[in-house]
Amino acid sequence: MKFILSALLLFAFPSFAQEDLMSLIDDDEKTQTVESTFKSTRLISGQTTETRSAGILDFVISHRFGRVNEGIEQFYGLDDSQIRLGLDYGITDKLNIGIGRSSFQKIVDGMIKYKVLTQQTGTKSVPISLVAFASLAIKTGSGAFSNPNADNPFGDRLYYTFQALVSRKFNTNFSLQLMPTFVHRNLVPSSAYPNDIIAFGVGGRYKITKRIAINAEYFPQLTEKATGTYDALSFGVDIETGGHVFQVHITNSRSMIEQGFVSETTGNWGDGDIHIGFNISRVFDLSPNK
């Protein structure tokens, strides 16, 4: 409406309306959305503030091998492999949903992700991107519980995760993300294990070349950790190959979803409990006009 009014004024009173119209155009040109804070919706194990556009289906294949310190007999962990298959879909440019299944603990998980703020520069500057994330996980395998022979009801098998993902792209090469996280577990092995876990994750990306970047993420727990569990620490490399992004990484966590790597990481970097892993993301455009 403002643009139309300014155009009419420019037609009727050129000298009066020109300044107002040019101001409107300049505002639009000077406000730019910051793109490609990260190259994928996942940093390593955790989510990023990136979302898929409306109608885009993202097929994510994640592998996590055994521990490197298992030695040559297990080919340094490569003989032991876990996989997660996931599908994420953009309902709108800001709202994504997803579902996945992990062979580790036979977990089925679902998630919802909504972009509240998008980083912008210029006249209408927004300094950060902000995404709200929530997931629900169900452990379906009997081996996931302290008593494998017990008949655990459905409610005992549920795990919830809530995150606020806050990121900023500081320049062409460097992006940083903060990830305050809350995990609730309906069932734990004993009173020594907390049902609720609070962690404050931090992660970053540094671009090396046009198609290669290095990543890191760390999820220190703020609540008391259960005996034998550690904070998840991971390092990775992103390789963009046009149609998909290939991510290879090393980590002390076996799980590939939030409730697992935040609260149930049993690997100790100091003991060499390191897993090699990778993610492959392939997108398909399912929008109606394609």
Side-chain angles (χ1 to χ4, degrees), residues 92-190:
T92 69
D93 291 348
K94 294 184 177 182
L95 178 63
N96 287 186
I97 59 173
I99 189 170
R101 202 272 184 180
S102 303
S103 60
F104 180 63
Q105 297 181 335
K106 303 187 184 300
I107 293 177
V108 177
D109 66 277
M111 70 88 176
I112 185 169
K113 188 175 181 180
Y114 183 74
K115 180 167 282 190
V116 181
L117 294 174
T118 301
Q119 185 180 348
Q120 294 180 164
T121 61
T123 306
K124 300 177 182 178
S125 176
V126 179
I128 61 169
S129 290
L130 172 63
V131 165
F133 173 85
S135 70
L136 172 68
I138 306 169
K139 290 185 178 180
T140 63
S142 59
F145 298 91
S146 56
N147 182 2
N149 298 319
D151 183 18
N152 297 100
F154 180 81
D156 286 352
R157 299 171 177 266
L158 297 179
Y159 298 76
Y160 308 88
T161 303
F162 303 94
Q163 289 183 310
L165 310 175
V166 185
S167 72
R168 177 174 172 82
K169 187 175 183 179
F170 288 89
N171 53 50
T172 303
N173 296 325
F174 178 61
S175 301
L176 182 68
Q177 180 170 279
L178 303 179
M179 301 164 282
T181 304
F182 174 78
V183 176
H184 175 77
R185 305 181 286 187
N186 278 1
L187 179 68
V188 291
S190 70

Side-chain angles (χ1 to χ4, degrees), residues 201-233:
V202 59
R205 168 182 179 264
Y206 190 84
K207 189 176 178 182
I208 302 298
T209 70
K210 183 178 180 180
R211 296 187 179 275
I212 298 176
I214 56 174
N215 301 325
E217 65 180 17
Y218 179 47
F219 284 87
Q221 297 180 49
L222 303 183
T223 49
E224 185 176 356
K225 291 190 288 287
T227 303
T229 63
Y230 300 88
D231 297 329
L233 174 64

